[in-house]
Amino acid sequence: LRADPQDLARWIREFGLDAAASQERLAALRGARGTAGVTHALALALPWLGHALFHGAPLVAVANSFAMWICGVRLESRAGPLRFGLFLTLVTLVGAIVELAVVNDPIPALGASATLAGVIAAYLLFHCAARARVVFPVLIWPVFFEVPVLVLVITWIAVQVPQVGRLLSAPGSRSPGVLAVGAGAAAGLVLAPLLLGRKRVRGRGHR
């Protein structure tokens, strides 16, 4: 991210998951009335879902977008946009609850790591033997080959390691904690059969 440090700090404070800031917003909401109450309610609710829409570094954004393209598109075509959207919302909220209640790191968390963990877990539940077609440029010629999706998942996990996430994130922010990511994956495994269907796809499959 390249922005004015003050603007960046304000942006992270508004959209990042921060337990202390959430408690301050909750206290302000309790004493507010009318339009002010609506404003404080929105300020309290915004980070719960908004943090998953932003990333602290281009590489993290690329990794999460790639994972969503490989796994999320298949799940959406399987369940439809409404059920898949509900699935994403619930997984994101579970990750946010764990982030605020258990991880409780003073540095605000940005990124969709917990949400993507749920998407990847659901995808592996239904397509554990799938393979992805990858293109790799050799000089001016594109070379196509297949890679097990598990290899791509391991690569995604490496980007989510806390030490790596802190190095890649914007100053003053971080990726969601390991427990929040684990909670997102667990929520994905539990919610997938309920919202995305129970039938597993046999065979290797491709993406």
Side-chain angles (χ1 to χ4, degrees), residues 7 9 23 185 203:
D7 292 338
Q23 292 175 358

Side-chain angles (χ1 to χ4, degrees), residues 25-184:
R25 291 166 181 158
L26 181 59
L29 175 61
R30 288 172 177 170
R33 297 292 184 272
T35 305
V38 175
T39 302
H40 287 299
L42 290 175
L44 176 64
L46 184 62
W48 286 70
L49 295 177
H51 77 280
L53 302 176
F54 301 95
H55 304 277
L59 182 57
V60 177
V62 169
N64 285 344
S65 299
F66 188 68
M68 181 62 80
W69 177 69
I70 292 292
C71 305
V73 172
R74 179 70 66 87
L75 294 178
E76 183 180 11
S77 64
R78 173 193 182 95
L82 292 180
R83 286 196 295 169
F84 183 62
L86 178 60
F87 172 82
L88 290 179
T89 300
L90 294 177
V91 170
T92 302
L93 289 177
V94 169
I97 291 171
V98 173
E99 181 68 44
L100 292 176
V102 181
V103 178
N104 197 18
D105 194 307
I107 302 176
L110 281 177
S113 299
T115 307
L116 264 298
V119 171
I120 291 172
Y123 183 85
L124 293 179
L125 182 66
F126 297 124
H127 309 281
C128 60
R131 302 174 70 86
R133 292 190 181 97
V134 178
V135 58
F136 184 81
V138 177
L139 297 179
I140 61 173
W141 294 279
V143 177
F144 295 88
F145 57 95
E146 292 185 358
V147 176
V149 170
L150 284 174
V151 173
L152 302 179
V153 171
I154 292 172
T155 303
W156 179 85
I157 292 175
V159 177
Q160 312 304 320
V161 173
Q163 290 78 4
V164 176
R166 288 183 186 275
L167 291 175
L168 296 177
S169 296
S173 71
R174 61 180 176 82
S175 297
V178 173
L179 290 178
V181 175

